[in-house]
Each structure stands twice: as structure tokens, then as C-alpha cells.
Amino acid sequence: MQGRYVPDGTHNEQPFYDKFVIHTSAKHLYSPQAQYFSTAMTARKLPSLNALRAFEVSARHQSFTLAAEELNVTQGAVSHQVKALEEELGVKLFERLHNRLRLTESGLVYLETISDAFDRIESGTMDLHRQRDNQSLVISTSPNFAAKWLVPRLGQFSARYPEPQLRLDLEQHRVNFISEEIDLAIRYGDGPWAGLHCIRLGREFLLPVCSPLLGRMTTAIELAQQTLLHVHDRRTWADWFEARGLPRALAERGIVFNQESAAVDAAANAQGIALARASLAVNDLMQDRLLIPLPHLLPLAQSYWLVYPELHHATPGVVAFRHWLLEAFEADQLFWQKQPGIMWPQMA
């Protein structure tokens, strides 16, 4: 079992499986003669679930420190839980090496059992969520992508697939698909991520965009004389100028935003020139609210990805959204190929 997803932000969610406790077996639950609260029922002899979580995550990462980061607790707390579990079981689960952990033979056997139990809890929980609201489709993505790519096109999806009731969850942090009841996510990052079905949606580039009122330009020096719109800091524009063989100091002017969508909107309103990710600018370019003053691209290593748990792969809402999303990104690629002066490479 792999760690719970994803890419945009900090990993600070609580793992999902501390919220579920199995009280009885399936046979007892469905037997007509079941006595749910019978005092004669023998209590399960289980170790602490917190200790089991600490063991499973530590084994996955081979590190108490990385396990503590995933569980959002201290390294000492994880080490204490695992030690207590070893004492309760009467066996050594890990060999403590200089800079990592190594499972003992007993630890390997126990990990297989514990991982299977957590996988079954996860699978059963997902089934319950799907049964509860089979017609809903909950999509997690960043506010920037939602504002500039997804929201303007949602009507197209709903017209083609009217049944799923959409809910957008706009967050920067890594989502927990179970506890946050998320069906799928669109995230920007390196990818792919273990334990998830990941589809890269296309290559990403930065390119200058501005209002048609500013018009096209012939040189980067001419562009540098305009108001530059920055995101977070001025390094990205400096990289763009450097790639053109010009001084990085040309990027020292202009307005700094903390959201890329705001910078793109400012550009569309003739407030200056933004250096935008292609996917965040393409809709405004298609609608002629933006133009490309100079067709000079700056390639990016990261991309947008569609991600979801493997168990969601065949659910009707996910199938429909995946099909529509991939078609939409293919249409975007055709748009770029038609832009004069832009060499838009095929996705590797």
C-alpha cells in the first residue's frame, strides 16, 4: 500500500484509517441471529490502531522521520508507537540501521498482513462512499487551474454528461481521497505518484501574454519596456530574459501577484504583460481576450496531471470526466499548433 496522494502543497492531512474501527465480522453483521451488543461476544485482541499505523507507514518509508511527516506527528511519537507494538507482540519488527530502517523477517510477514487489512478498509470505505452518492463527482484542483481553465469549460462537460452532480474542491494542499471524499484531482507537479492512477495532460510552457490593446511586439527589449506582471517573485521573468540572451535585471520592474490567475486577468485588462503557464492562458487566448506579443516559450519541467485512486478508474463519473478532459487538452494542443511562430513540441 502506497502513501496517500499528491503534489500541490504540504503534506499535512491525517491518514484516513484512524477513523474506522471494525467491531464485528461480516458473518455476525449479516446473520439474522446476530446480537450486536451481546456481552457474550469476545472482544478482539488487537494492538493499538495508532501503533499499527505507525508501523505500516514506517515500513513503507523505511524511516521514522518520513513516517512522522506523513502522519503529522513527531518522530519520537512514531518511534515510541513502534517500540510499544514490538513489546506487545514480543518480536522485533525493524532493524535500526544508521540512517534507515530494515524490516526483520517477522516484520515482513506482519507488514503483509497489516497492509492487506488497511487496503480492505480503504476499499470498503470507498465502496460505501460510492453507494451513498453514486451520482456525485467531486473534483479537487488548485484555485488557479479552476479559475483559468476548468470553470470556463464546465458547461461543456455538463451539457455532454448531465448526470454527474459536480462539486469543486479548490485547495492547494495534497488531498486525502477518502477523508475528503474526493473522486479525482487535477494537480500540477512532477508526477507520477505511487499508489494513484496518473495521466499527464500535456507539456507546459511559460509564454508572454497581454491584452490585444497592447498589440504584438518585435523584440524582447520592446516587451521589457512594458509593465511586467510577476507571480510570487521576479525570477521567472528574469529566466525568460536570460533565455533570450538579455540581462536578468530587465525583470526588476513591474507588479508581483501571489496568484497566477490574477496576473493573467491583469494582463487581459491591459495592466501589463504576464508570463503565464500555457494551460492558464489558453482559454483567454481562444476568446481573444489575450494575445501573444512575442512567441518565445520557456519550457517547464512540471505538468498538469489527472490523478485518482485505482479503485476509481472504472466509476462512471470518473470515466466520463477523464474522456472529456483528455479530449479538451487535445483540442488545446491543436490550438497551439496553429499559432504563428510557436513551435509546440509533442508530449514526451
Side-chain angles (χ1 to χ4, degrees), residues 128 131 162 184 211:
L128 285 176
Q131 292 169 15
L184 55 85
S211 166

Side-chain angles (χ1 to χ4, degrees), residues 47 51-52 55 64 79-96 102-111 113-114:
L52 294 176
F55 165 66
F64 288 149
S79 177
H80 176 76
Q81 290 282 356
V82 172
K83 184 178 180 181
L85 179 62
E86 289 177 321
E87 291 176 353
E88 182 176 353
L89 297 175
V91 296
K92 189 176 182 180
L93 299 172
F94 289 111
E95 294 179 16
R96 276 77 166 171
R102 183 166 63 196
L103 285 163
T104 63
E105 184 175 346
S106 297
L108 284 168
V109 173
Y110 199 51
L111 175 63
T113 299
I114 297 305

Side-chain angles (χ1 to χ4, degrees), residues 9-10 92 98 179 189 246 251 330:
T10 59
K92 189 176 182 180
H98 175 62
S179 67
L246 296 171
E330 287 177 4

Side-chain angles (χ1 to χ4, degrees), residues 208 217-230 237 240-241 244 246-254 273 293-294:
M217 299 166 196
T218 56
T219 67
I221 291 294
E222 182 184 359
L223 182 148
Q225 295 171 354
Q226 306 294 322
T227 300
L228 301 181
L229 307 176
H230 306 269
W237 264 118
W240 187 88
F241 283 117
R244 312 276 83 75
L246 296 171
R248 296 178 65 87
L250 290 174
E252 292 178 359
R253 299 168 50 253
I273 302 178
L294 274 178

